[in-house]
Amino acid sequence: MKPTIREARPEDRPALIRLMGVLNEFETTIEDNRADASAAESHLDWVSGEIAAQGGVTLVAESGGHVVGFLSFAIEEDPGTFVRPEHRRHAMIWDISVDEAARGQGIGRALLDAAEAQAKAAGIGEIRLYVLEGNARARRIYAEAGYRDYERLMAKRL
């Protein structure tokens, strides 16, 4: 069944908290510095505030009357002059999560397509995202959707 993609509404909050928890729990299996599902509500509140302040949006995927995925993106601008002015403003995907039972059905891709369409309609010429290096499945999905490596953030634990 093809999901319906729409902007999140206040009544979606419980589903968004649950899906943020799913994302948090998954990321704890990749990076030991990630918070578990207990941080889902506070992280969702912070992300929602930042997204709203930066002119972004949270989209949800609905299937069978249930929210089965979400994606949040903001409109950001590169500081300084190291990027040409016409390329500084971009959309940045902050979080994306799909229910485990709904994975493999194209829901993540539908969310990406909808975010890209909204960004393009807003006059944005580029969309970016961060992905954990150890998240091979997400990296493959993003590559298949046309995303490429742009920068590499490296870290060293001290």
Side-chain angles (χ1 to χ4, degrees), residues 18-142:
R18 180 179 52 76
L19 287 164
M20 187 66 81
V22 167
L23 177 61
N24 286 9
E25 288 294 332
F26 175 72
E27 287 187 348
T28 65
T29 67
I30 298 172
E31 283 292 333
D32 64 0
N33 68 348
R34 296 300 197 188
D36 63 16
S38 67
E41 185 171 11
S42 61
H43 184 62
L44 176 68
D45 290 343
W46 179 78
V47 167
S48 297
E50 292 295 309
I51 295 297
Q54 295 184 37
V57 67
T58 295
L59 301 172
V60 298
E62 205 171 44
S63 182
H66 301 283
V67 173
V68 295
F70 85 95
L71 179 153
S72 295
F73 74 91
I75 305 302
E76 298 184 356
E77 189 165 330
D78 289 320
T81 58
F82 66 96
V83 174
R84 294 194 324 252
E86 66 270 22
H87 296 284
R88 289 183 192 150
R89 201 164 166 256
H90 60 272
M92 176 63 80
I93 296 172
W94 283 37
D95 288 302
I96 182 170
S97 180
V98 175
D99 266 332
E100 286 186 53
R103 291 184 188 153
Q105 300 174 26
I107 291 168
R109 183 63 186 261
L111 286 163
L112 286 171
D113 290 346
E116 292 168 13
Q118 282 203 4
K120 190 173 183 179
I124 303 297
E126 183 173 74
I127 191 164
R128 301 176 186 171
L129 56 80
Y130 289 105
V131 60
L132 291 174
E133 187 69 22
N135 192 345
R137 180 178 181 183
R139 288 184 18 245
R140 179 185 50 79
I141 290 167
Y142 298 142

